[in-house]
Amino acid sequence: MIDIRLIRENPELVRQAAADKGMKVDVDRVLEVDARRRAIETEFNELRSQQNRTGERIAKAPKEEKAALSAEMGKLKARLRELDEQRAGVEAELHQLMLLMPQIPAPEAPRGRDPRDNVEVRRVGEPKRREDFGFPFRDHLELGEKLGIIDMERGVKLAGSRNYVLRGAGAMLHEAVLRLAWDLMVGRRFERPVPRDQGAKGSRHDDAPAPSLSFEPLTVPVLVLDKLMEGTGFFPLHRDEVYLAERDGQCLVGTAEVPVTGFHGDEVLALDELPKLYFARSTCFRREAGAAGKDTRGLYRIHFFDKLEQVVICAADDAESAYWHEVIIRNATDVLDALELPYRLLEVCTGDMGQGKVRMFDIETWMPSRDAYGETHSASRFGEFQARRLNLRYRDADGRLRFCHTLNNTVIASPRILIPILEMNQNADGSVTVPQALRAYMGGLERVS
């Protein structure tokens, strides 16, 4: 959610943001409803003051005047009740309209309409095409079925389309990837970004060396209240993509971003508590609404998977947000480097980044069966967008209440990452060489055959 004052003061900026993101929003209706809400609030406050004055007059008035004053008081109370009802309706409409307003993208974010306008930042590693293997290429599903480590047929039998079962070494590879990423995150230490001005009283940092920071692991619920989905920006626009437990007002998350970002919702943090650095592993559920007939083969587009997600909650400072954005991207690419997988980093254009994001990068890993890079990570910076919805605030150095900035990125998600692992490491006999970085998690196993 963005600040209503921004819409009042610069509606064209919001209209342009909506155009840049390919969204249709009614800025004029927001301004109209907001003006009505403020008019009601003004009249309500004036009548409440008049009510107080009338009450004082009644207390002091002679007996013969009390009846008229009491009648006046009755009219005031009736009008106040009427205004209160009107205010509730207007505020509800304004809230729903505000939920649809786009975050303003960063000036440096590339403008574009769709994924074709995303900008490649860099490539790492050498992609290997089907013809480069020197033997008949097998995609990950053919490999997995012949090795007995992927069972799509029984997955469908258990849960319907886009479901699977990982067996034996397939399940071991899945766990190994997640444990490698977990250990990498637990072992990392980071310095605070360069101190910045925090108001008239100066920075929170003094000359003493700051302790290094680390990401704290969390175990979080994957069934959450609907208000968290609204708070993190998934509702109302993406409600059809979520599995709902409507009877209980809950839903299954598509990412641990939801409970982790909402962890401090409705709290006021101290400046010295920031940044909050978290990561969590969760099973993630996605309906893949609108994906009928798309990526139906194998493990690319499925209904459930496991993911390590990293979340940063920091002060409302663009430079600090940018610093942590680089950190969470590096955490992810270091896992891919350890797995020796070719990948590329893309900056996502405005038309592809979604409603709430200030700036966004995708990491795509090379998948020979697709003869292309496939998305495996998404690193997003939200500014205050999520914090406003979650009422997630802190006090700055001047004691003012401010909304935090939030960021998130995948560390690793499996089994999608098994696609390049299996395909890039296959051998002529149909076996798969286990990447060196995973062998310690698989009892020393060097080859799945």
Side-chain angles (χ1 to χ4, degrees):
M1 188 175 292
I2 62 175
D3 190 342
I4 185 65
R5 290 175 297 181
L6 178 63
I7 304 177
R8 291 179 199 146
E9 295 167 6
N10 199 342
E12 287 307 315
L13 181 65
V14 181
R15 290 190 180 97
Q16 185 60 53
D20 288 341
K21 292 189 172 187
M23 298 175 62
K24 292 182 179 180
V25 298
D26 194 343
V27 173
D28 290 335
R29 182 58 181 167
V30 171
L31 293 171
E32 180 184 330
V33 175
D34 177 53
R36 176 62 181 149
R37 181 190 63 81
R38 288 190 289 162
I40 290 172
E41 190 70 29
T42 298
E43 184 181 355
F44 185 91
N45 290 335
E46 289 174 352
L47 291 179
R48 178 57 60 85
S49 296
Q50 188 177 340
Q51 182 187 39
N52 293 336
R53 291 194 300 270
T54 303
E56 292 173 0
R57 288 172 61 196
I58 290 173
K60 299 176 182 178
K63 183 177 180 180
E64 60 272 15
E65 296 180 11
K66 287 186 182 291
L69 290 172
S70 295
E72 182 182 338
M73 178 68 85
K75 291 178 181 179
L76 288 171
K77 288 181 177 179
R79 179 56 179 162
L80 284 168
R81 284 194 298 269
E82 186 179 296
L83 287 173
D84 209 30
E85 291 174 4
Q86 291 179 17
R87 181 170 58 181
V90 169
E91 286 180 346
E93 182 181 359
L94 183 61
H95 178 73
Q96 291 304 313
L97 289 168
M98 289 297 293
L99 290 177
L100 302 176
M101 293 296 107
Q103 173 64 291
I104 312 301
E108 59 269 30
R111 268 52 186 172
R113 297 181 62 183
D114 55 44
R116 292 171 294 184
D117 295 320
N118 294 341
V119 177
E120 185 173 298
V121 178
R122 64 176 180 270
R123 294 190 181 194
V124 176
E126 292 297 323
K128 199 172 183 180
R129 300 186 181 275
R130 293 166 177 260
E131 58 270 22
D132 296 333
F133 284 85
F135 53 82
F137 173 83
R138 300 176 176 89
D139 70 14
H140 70 281
L141 185 56
E142 185 180 358
L143 286 166
E145 290 178 338
K146 288 184 179 296
L147 293 170
I149 63 175
I150 301 174
D151 194 330
M152 300 296 293
E153 183 178 349
R154 288 188 175 90
V156 171
K157 180 178 74 173
L158 294 173
S161 63
R162 299 189 187 275
N163 284 288
Y164 61 93
V165 174
L166 299 178
R167 304 180 61 178
M172 292 170 65
L173 274 171
H174 172 77
E175 290 296 326
V177 166
L178 294 164
R179 289 168 63 194
L180 170 69
W182 181 281
D183 286 351
L184 180 146
M185 291 298 295
V186 167
R188 307 219 121 179
R189 296 293 181 271
F190 303 92
E191 298 304 317
R192 291 188 185 275
V194 175
R196 75 280 182 193
D197 181 23
Q198 280 291 335
K201 296 183 181 178
S203 170
R204 61 181 171 181
H205 308 301
D206 54 27
D207 295 332
S212 62
L213 304 170
S214 61
F215 280 76
E216 178 183 348
L218 301 179
T219 299
V220 292
V222 297
L223 185 65
V224 301
L225 298 172
D226 285 1
K227 69 177 184 179
L228 259 70
M229 298 296 284
E230 181 180 292
T232 46
F234 289 93
F235 286 178
L237 293 182
H238 303 287
R239 191 179 182 87
D240 63 340
E241 299 172 18
V242 175
Y243 286 105
L244 303 174
E246 291 167 299
R247 182 172 62 180
D248 302 306
Q250 296 173 304
C251 48
L252 291 168
V253 299
T255 167
E257 168 196 340
V258 176
V260 177
T261 309
F263 187 54
H264 291 289
D266 293 320
E267 295 181 19
V268 176
L269 303 173
L271 181 61
D272 287 338
E273 292 183 77
L274 298 176
K276 295 286 191 182
L277 310 178
Y278 296 120
F279 74 97
R281 172 181 172 173
S282 75
T283 302
C284 305
F285 303 88
R286 299 189 182 177
R287 291 186 61 236
E288 294 295 349
K294 184 178 181 182
D295 298 316
T296 56
R297 180 174 173 80
L299 298 173
Y300 190 82
R301 195 176 296 277
I302 48 185
H303 285 314
F304 80 99
F305 55 94
D306 285 281
K307 180 158 68 88
L308 255 70
E309 185 76 6
Q310 48 190 325
V311 169
V312 176
I313 300 167
C314 68
D317 180 275
D318 289 338
E320 181 166 351
S321 292
Y323 169 84
W324 290 114
H325 209 171
E326 293 175 4
V327 166
I328 59 179
I329 291 171
R330 187 168 66 249
N331 287 342
T333 57
D334 283 354
V335 177
L336 295 177
D337 290 336
L339 294 170
E340 301 180 77
L341 294 174
Y343 61 90
R344 66 176 182 172
L345 179 67
L346 296 177
E347 178 157 13
V348 177
C349 73
T350 53
D352 192 35
M353 69 166 54
Q355 177 193 13
K357 295 161 187 179
V358 172
R359 205 170 181 196
M360 178 181 178
F361 293 84
D362 278 351
I363 302 169
E364 297 182 340
T365 306
W366 178 256
M367 300 179 183
S369 60
R370 300 172 68 86
D371 195 31
Y373 292 93
E375 181 193 330
T376 50
H377 304 71
S378 183
S380 301
R381 183 173 134 208
F382 290 85
E384 299 176 354
F385 184 83
Q386 292 179 319
R388 283 185 175 276
R389 289 172 171 240
L390 292 164
N391 194 30
L392 170 52
R393 299 174 295 169
Y394 72 100
R395 288 195 183 276
D396 69 11
D398 290 325
R400 296 173 301 178
L401 280 174
R402 301 188 65 182
F403 289 101
C404 299
H405 279 192
T406 64
L407 306 91
N408 63 64
N409 184 26
T410 312
V411 186
I412 204 72
S414 182
R416 184 179 285 191
I417 199 65
L418 299 188
I419 298 174
I421 289 176
L422 293 171
E423 293 179 356
M424 289 292 293
N425 291 285
Q426 64 181 290
N427 303 303
D429 63 358
S431 65
V432 173
T433 300
V434 177
Q436 184 69 44
L438 299 181
R439 294 177 187 175
Y441 301 98
M442 299 188 65
L445 184 67
E446 297 181 4
R447 181 174 291 205
V448 181
S449 57

